[in-house]
Structures are given as C-alpha cells and as structure tokens.
C-alpha cells in the first residue's frame, strides 16, 4: 500500500472494528428526498441549479430524530452508519462553513443532522461514517467528472476543476473530520477522472487529521489507495475473488434515495440469507435506507430491519467477528462461517434437509454439533468417514424434522484443532460441482480465452454442464454470446452457443440491476470417482481486472461453470 507507512499490524488493528462489524447502515438522504424519485433526480430531470436551490429552501425534515435512526440501526444489528454528508447534488447535509449550499444555511430546518447523529452514535456505541461525493457535484460550477457533469447550467470549457477541488471538496472533507468527533470511515464515490495525485492528497489529509479513519476504494486508484474495496453497487463477489477486505453496498429496494415508486423490497428472509452469504465470503454488508423528506426511515425498511435484527440477536454469534468459509464455492443449502474452533453452518430453511445435512471435505473430528437456536442444549448425532481410494472426507449431521429458527437455522460444530478442509473443488452431496471463474487458471488467446479447473467427483454419473452468468438489465445477450462455448472434461466435449435457459428469480448473490441466468451447454458422463480437469473456452472467460472502481461493470458477467448431476 503506498498511502501510508504504517506496519501491517497497525493496519490490521485499525481495520479490526470494521472486520468484526460485518453489518452497517447506509443512509441516502438529501434535498432529493423531497421529490421521491431517487438521488439522481437533479441529473435525470436536468433541474437547473436555481430551481434546485428553491427545493433546498423547502427542505424541512422536522421529524428527523437522530436517536430514533441510531436506535433503528442498533436494533437491526448494524454496527456502523454511513450517511451522505454530500451527494452528487452538492448539497451538504451538515453546517458547512466552506459552502453555503447546506442544510443549515440554505434550508428552513436550521439543524445539523450530522451533529445530532454524531452525539446519538457516541451514546449508543455505533461508529459514525460519512459518504462524500468528492468528484461529482452538480451544484458547483467547477466540478468535473469524466462522465456525469451538470452541463445544463455550466459549460465544460469554463470549468476550473481546482477551484472546486481545493476549496469545496477538500474544505468539506476537512470539516467532516474536524467537527464531528472520531469518524469510522469516509466513503467516497464515483471518482471518474480523478488523478492519482488528487487521490493521494485526500488520503494524506485524512491520515493526518484522523489516522484511524478508514477509506473505501472509491477514493480512486485502488489498490494503491483505500483500506478496503467497495464492490460495485449490489455486487457480491465470487468466493476468493478479493484478497483484501471488501464490502457490498446494497439497496433494500432498488433505489438509494427515497423513491415513492420503487416498491420492490427485499424480504427479511432474503436479507438474512444475503447477509450470511456475504459474511461467509469474508465481506461486510452495507445496507441502505432512504429516509423521506420529513426525516423518517420508511416503514417498509424498518419492518425488515427489525426482523433481521431479531434474527441477529439470537444468531449474531455466528456472524460478528467470524471469518470466511474455507470452501471455495457457494453451497446450495446455505453458508459457512468460522470462529476459532467453531464452524457455523447457516442452513436456509427452504433447503432444510429431510433427515441429515451432508457436508463433505471436513478433515477434523467434530467434537460436538448442536443447533444454535437451542443454545448448546441438544447435541446432534454426527457421522464422519474418510474414503482413501478417492481421498474423500464425508460428514452426516442428523437434524430434527423442522428448522428451529426463522429463515436461516444455524448448526454449530465444535471441531478439534483449527478447521482443516479439502479446499479443492469437490462434490458436495445434493449440490452441483461449482467452478468459479476467479479461481480458474485463465489463458487469454486471440478472441477466445480458456479457463481451467481441476475438480473431484465423488459419485459417478451424468452431469449437465451449466454456465452461470449475471446479466445487466437492458443488456443484449446475443451481443456477448455471439460464439460457441466449449467445455471439455473427462475426455468429452460439450459445446453450443449459450441461450438464456433459466432466469433465477431468488438468486443469493445476484440482484438488481443484474439477473442470474443459467445456460445448459450439454452433458458429460463421469464413469469413475476421481480427479478431473475441466476447460472452458469462451470470449467471456476474462481474467479479473486489476483494481479499478467497478460501478458500471460488464453487461454480461460470466461467474461459473456448474456440473449438475442428473
Ligand atoms: O451514483 C451513486 C449512487 O447514487 C449511490 O450513491 C451509489 C451507492 O453506492 N453510488 C453511486 C453509484 O455507484
């Protein structure tokens, strides 16, 4: 890391609270909440600055209650809050002395919500963090982004970037770090076009003013700058995709800022599953709420958050402070987290098996297994075996007939010694063999690329070869898959031009604006248990891009190949 001279240990200590926290509240709130059309309304409707200023003059969120918001986050089991101190509309949601376009000077409200939040967070032990749109600013005549500028009021040629940068952006970042107590992290966004020198200047200023404050990757020029990676909006990576700490910013419906039209809410069930799924891959979830113009978090958000919090209240031991699953692939039935000698199996209730849960690949002896909901009361019978000829570890855990928890029921395993598992691509019972692109060896060629994995099949049979892709809304599938895709394994070849065969409606790792699409490529037969190589040839098998901010990613993203036993 070039942004600091601190040691690895110092950095680890600085990140510790955030690593343990796992779950934070994102808040998108501003003048735009008045219109109820999301936070980009000024840009999409080309609202002139003078008109937008009139809206600011009407913004009077009298029902805002910092204590209630912090209590809501706390009840949800969230450990930090990231609130928009200034979004792309340029309006500061605090009393800025740098620029009068702020909630105290330009609105009748006359209060500083960030001051009130900082006090409420301090009392409740929640870390307060600020979102700051450092490059896009549609109010300031001189802000320049490489794509999203206010060109309905200002001419690009007349913009003097440094006048915005040195005065407003840097001045406001300084204010946020000097007037609101200790700040957990600064969450930068949409940095398009920022030079390395500029990113470095902000990072040094932050390090000087609050050395403990974390910085997300969207400060730009990641991985040189920033403490952890913000994934794309609503993006959940594949297992092992990130080697550094990461976080998924996620919407509760499909919007960040308050929207009256958007009623596509994620259920509490989906939210809990997504949370444990993210944590099992080693990430944090930053879940958004968009308060109204009156200063209230919408009831639909609060209801869901309360359910998540109630679940975490009982099962938080399997979430907070845990580390990622050692299995390098998704598990159909749920997710795995680890803490010391404890292994937590988060079983999704709709996958609750009839009698037993089979988990292959665990090498340690399981000393004890129980349902977390029972608080260690009832031991569950466990049967473990090792099959030398296939080097295969099997484990069967007998379960009660019905899941004991709402939505996701946790089976706790106490293992002997540090957990050791077969980290290869092995076959899990009742599950497909899942080969994620990021963990393949990729050879790039002229046009066609080749991804290669080695996997272990435990039970022979016929396997459907399925390609898993995430498709962005509006993307044209045929433009990406305009060629034949070939899969070779066990001396056989399956090939075809992939079609959108199945659209998965309740995908665990895929959400708006993407949908998960499965395409059948053909079938292969595996005659014997054993280790096999699989190669996939397609233009879409691309190596992981190195670092840049990904908030407008590819229209069709190839994720993995699955071998589904038929
Ligand atoms: O343009 C913004 C958007 O309004 C929102 O703030 C999200 C949150 O991650 N960030 C940007 C797009 O990535």
């Amino acid at each position: 890391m070039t942004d600091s001279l601190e040691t690895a240990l110092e950095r680890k200590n600085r990140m510790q609270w955030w690593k343990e926290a796992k779950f934070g509240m994102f808040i998108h709130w501003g003048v735009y909440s008045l219109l109820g059309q999301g936070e980009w309304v000024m840009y999409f409707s080309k609202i002139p600055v003078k008109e937008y200023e009139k809206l600011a003059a009407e913004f009077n969120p009298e029902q805002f209650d910092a204590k209630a918001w912090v209590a809501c986050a706390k009840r949800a089991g969230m450990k930090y809050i990231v609130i928009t101190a200034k979004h792309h509309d340029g309006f500061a949601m605090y009393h800025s002395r740098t620029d009068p376009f702020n909630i105290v000077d330009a609105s009748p409200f006359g209060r500083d919500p960030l001051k009130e939040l900082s006090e409420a967070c301090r009392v409740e032990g929640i870390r307060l963090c600020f979102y700051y749109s450092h490059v896009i600013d549609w109010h300031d005549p001189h802000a320049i982004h490489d794509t999203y500028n206010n060109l309905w009021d200002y001419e690009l040629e007349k913009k003097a970037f440094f006048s915005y940068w040195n005065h407003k952006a840097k001045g406001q970042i300084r204010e946020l770090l000097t007037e609101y107590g200790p700040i957990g992290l600064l969450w930068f966004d949409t940095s398009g076009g920022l030079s390395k020198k500029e990113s470095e200047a902000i990072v040094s200023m932050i390090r000087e003013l609050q050395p403990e404050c974390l910085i997300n990757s969207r400060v730009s020029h990641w991985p040189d700058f920033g403490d952890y990676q913000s994934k794309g909006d609503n993006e959940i990576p594949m297992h092992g995709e990130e080697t550094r700490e990461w976080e998924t910013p996620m919407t509760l419906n499909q919007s960040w800022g308050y929207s009256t039209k958007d009623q596509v809410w994620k259920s509490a069930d989906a939210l809990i599953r997504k949370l444990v799924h993210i944590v099992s891959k080693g990430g944090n979830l930053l879940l958004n709420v968009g308060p109204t113009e009156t200063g209230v978090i919408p009831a639909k958000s609060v209801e869901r958050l309360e359910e998540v919090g109630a679940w975490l209240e009982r099962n938080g031991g399997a979430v907070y402070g845990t580390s990622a699953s050692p299995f390098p692939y998704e598990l159909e039935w749920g997710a795995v987290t680890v803490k010391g000698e404890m292994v937590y199996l988060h079983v999704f209730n709709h996958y609750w098996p009839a009698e037993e849960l089979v988990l292959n690949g665990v090498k340690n002896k399981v000393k004890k297994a129980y349902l977390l909901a029972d608080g260690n009361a009832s031991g569950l019978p466990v049967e473990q075996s090792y099959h030398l000829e296939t080097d295969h570890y099997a484990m069967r855990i007998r379960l009660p007939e019905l899941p004991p928890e709402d939505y996701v029921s946790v089976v706790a395993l106490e293992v002997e010694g540090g957990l050791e598992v077969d980290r290869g691509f092995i076959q899990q019972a009742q599950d497909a063999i899942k080969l994620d692109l990021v963990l393949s060896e990729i050879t790039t060629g002229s046009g066609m690329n080749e991804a290669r994995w080695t996997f272990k099949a435990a039970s022979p049979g016929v396997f459907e070869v399925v390609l898993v892709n995430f498709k962005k809304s509006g993307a044209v599938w045929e433009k990406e898959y305009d060629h034949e895709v070939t899969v070779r394994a066990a001396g056989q070849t399956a090939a075809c031009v992939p079609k959108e065969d199945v659209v998965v409606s309740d995908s665990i790792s895929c959400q708006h604006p993407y949908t998960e699409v499965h395409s059948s490529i053909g079938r292969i037969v595996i005659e014997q248990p054993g280790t096999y190589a699989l190669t996939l040839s397609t233009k879409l098998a691309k190596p992981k891009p190195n670092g840049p901010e990904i908030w407008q990613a590819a229209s069709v993203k190839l994720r993995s190949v699955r071998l589904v036993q038929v």
Side-chain angles (χ1 to χ4, degrees):
M1 193 167 73
T2 58
D3 81 61
S4 140
L5 294 175
E6 69 184 343
T7 65
L9 183 66
E10 282 165 343
R11 184 176 167 278
K12 190 168 171 263
N13 290 340
R14 200 160 52 82
M15 297 285 300
Q16 197 58 30
W17 72 265
W18 183 86
K19 285 272 294 169
E20 284 173 11
K22 307 295 180 195
F23 193 27
M25 176 182 269
F26 211 177
I27 304 177
H28 276 69
W29 192 43
V31 169
Y32 44 80
S33 311
L34 263 175
L35 300 177
Q37 298 172 47
E39 74 289 357
W40 274 70
V41 63
M42 181 180 182
Y43 185 87
F44 289 130
S45 301
K46 299 208 175 344
I47 302 177
V49 160
K50 289 285 164 251
E51 292 301 313
Y52 203 81
E53 284 173 348
K54 285 187 202 152
L55 277 177
E58 281 173 36
F59 186 50
N60 194 12
E62 276 183 322
Q63 291 180 46
F64 168 69
D65 177 353
K67 286 188 195 146
W69 285 19
V70 174
C72 171
K74 204 167 174 176
R75 274 201 309 278
M78 292 157 152
K79 306 292 184 191
Y80 57 109
I81 290 177
V82 182
I83 182 165
T84 45
K86 184 199 83 169
H87 204 266
H88 308 337
D89 62 355
F91 185 75
M93 289 295 287
Y94 68 98
H95 193 194
S96 171
R97 322 289 152 153
T98 301
D99 189 275
F101 191 50
N102 69 69
I103 191 162
V104 175
D105 295 324
S107 299
F109 188 48
R111 284 158 53 191
D112 180 338
L114 302 196
K115 267 267 144 66
E116 294 177 26
L117 276 170
S118 95
E119 178 54 16
C121 283
R122 192 189 58 73
V123 171
E124 292 297 338
I126 297 276
R127 302 260 182 171
L128 180 64
C129 313
F130 294 137
Y131 168 110
Y132 189 83
S133 173
H134 56 326
V135 182
I136 299 183
D137 188 317
W138 300 317
H139 186 263
D140 193 284
H142 297 298
I144 306 181
H145 182 264
D146 61 9
T147 317
Y148 299 109
N149 294 299
N150 176 350
L151 299 180
W152 55 97
D153 284 295
Y154 310 122
E155 289 171 44
L156 197 56
E157 297 69 33
K158 293 198 179 146
K159 282 174 177 270
F161 174 72
F162 284 101
S163 147
Y164 158 74
W165 184 249
N166 290 330
H167 178 65
K168 186 168 180 181
K170 283 194 187 164
Q172 292 196 326
I173 294 169
R174 179 173 290 276
E175 287 171 340
L176 291 170
L177 289 172
T178 48
E179 291 173 30
Y180 295 87
I183 299 308
L185 67 93
L186 278 183
W187 211 100
F188 293 103
D189 203 4
T190 51
S191 58
L194 200 67
S195 75
K196 199 159 183 179
K197 206 166 147 219
E198 265 79 74
S199 296
E200 187 167 24
I202 318 189
V203 169
S204 324
M205 180 167 81
I206 299 166
R207 299 286 186 237
E208 193 188 308
L209 295 172
Q210 286 207 27
E212 298 291 305
C213 178
L214 306 182
I215 303 170
N216 73 332
S217 56
R218 293 193 195 179
V219 68
S220 198
H221 302 286
W222 169 264
D224 289 346
F225 301 124
D227 291 305
Y228 72 85
Q229 178 155 30
S230 290
K231 296 302 297 177
D233 294 345
N234 284 312
E235 182 190 14
I236 301 177
M238 293 171 242
H239 268 285
E241 185 169 334
E242 299 310 326
T243 46
R244 297 260 308 261
E245 294 85 353
W246 59 273
E247 172 185 73
T248 293
M250 190 187 286
T251 49
L252 248 164
N253 48 357
Q254 298 187 341
S255 317
W256 300 100
Y258 178 58
S259 162
T260 48
K261 286 214 183 99
D262 176 2
Q263 295 301 328
V264 188
W265 298 92
K266 294 183 179 77
S267 64
D269 182 11
L271 291 169
I272 295 168
R273 281 185 285 124
K274 284 178 190 295
L275 171 64
V276 299
H277 177 75
I278 287 172
V279 173
S280 83
K281 286 177 167 174
N284 278 21
L285 170 61
L286 184 61
L287 185 60
N288 184 71
V289 294
T292 64
E293 77 286 6
T294 59
V296 171
I297 300 178
K300 289 245 164 48
S301 305
V302 176
E303 282 159 26
R304 284 157 178 79
L305 293 180
E306 303 225 311
E307 283 203 65
V308 176
W311 185 91
L312 276 167
E313 178 76 29
R314 299 186 295 270
N315 298 285
V319 174
Y320 304 118
T322 57
S323 45
S325 162
F327 297 99
Y329 40 82
E330 293 174 5
L331 294 157
E332 209 66 36
W333 51 260
V336 176
T337 55
V338 181
K339 199 193 275 175
E341 293 206 333
M342 296 305 300
V343 180
Y344 298 105
L345 313 181
H346 302 251
V347 185
F348 301 160
N349 283 1
H350 59 271
Y351 273 102
W352 191 255
E355 283 177 0
E356 54 183 21
L357 180 70
V358 179
L359 179 62
N360 294 329
V362 175
K363 299 183 179 177
N364 311 61
K365 183 171 165 4
V366 171
K367 289 199 281 192
K368 205 194 288 172
Y370 57 90
L371 296 167
L372 200 64
D374 281 2
N376 200 358
S378 60
L380 299 170
V382 178
E383 206 185 291
Q384 290 182 275
S385 56
Y386 175 64
H387 307 268
L388 184 66
E389 47 318 337
T390 46
D391 184 27
H392 177 68
Y393 294 83
M395 173 165 64
R396 296 171 180 283
I397 308 161
R398 182 86 55 78
L399 296 179
E401 199 185 329
L402 295 173
E405 249 299 351
D406 294 336
Y407 312 127
V408 176
S409 301
V410 182
V411 176
L413 305 178
E414 205 180 312
V415 299
E416 217 164 70
L419 177 67
E420 261 189 73
V421 306
D422 185 336
R423 286 175 184 264
F425 296 107
I426 61 169
Q427 191 174 4
Q428 292 289 351
Q430 301 126 8
D431 219 342
I433 299 170
K434 293 177 179 157
L435 309 169
D436 282 352
L437 191 67
V438 280
L439 296 178
S440 67
E441 276 170 38
I442 298 187
T443 332
T444 50
S446 53
M448 233 26 130
N449 296 338
E450 196 164 270
R452 187 175 189 281
W453 300 261
T454 305
F455 68 93
K456 239 192 246 175
S459 51
V462 179
F463 289 80
E464 183 92 42
V465 182
V466 176
L467 219 56
V468 178
N469 282 280
F470 288 180
K471 182 190 167 201
K472 201 169 185 175
S473 92
V476 181
W477 178 267
E478 292 74 18
K479 250 174 100 176
E480 302 295 326
Y481 281 112
D482 58 352
H483 58 286
E484 190 165 81
V485 167
T486 310
V487 173
R488 291 187 188 83
Q492 296 149 68
T493 302
C496 73
V497 178
K499 303 258 175 321
E500 295 174 77
D501 294 330
V502 178
V503 173
V504 181
S505 58
D506 190 24
S507 163
I508 187 70
S509 54
C510 183
Q511 54 240 311
H512 173 81
Y514 286 86
T515 42
E516 181 170 329
V517 177
H518 291 189
S519 315
S520 173
I521 304 299
R523 289 183 172 190
I524 56 163
V525 181
I526 296 204
E527 310 265 4
Q528 301 283 343
T531 302
Y532 295 87
L534 183 144
T535 55
L536 162 75
S537 304
T538 165
K539 286 182 200 168
L540 273 77
K542 294 176 191 151
K544 186 182 168 233
N546 192 17
E549 173 187 348
I550 333 166
W551 66 287
Q552 290 162 315
S555 50
V556 175
K557 296 194 261 188
L558 173 60
R559 296 274 289 201
S560 59
V561 179
R562 291 186 183 170
L563 298 177
V564 186
Q565 197 153 12
V566 288

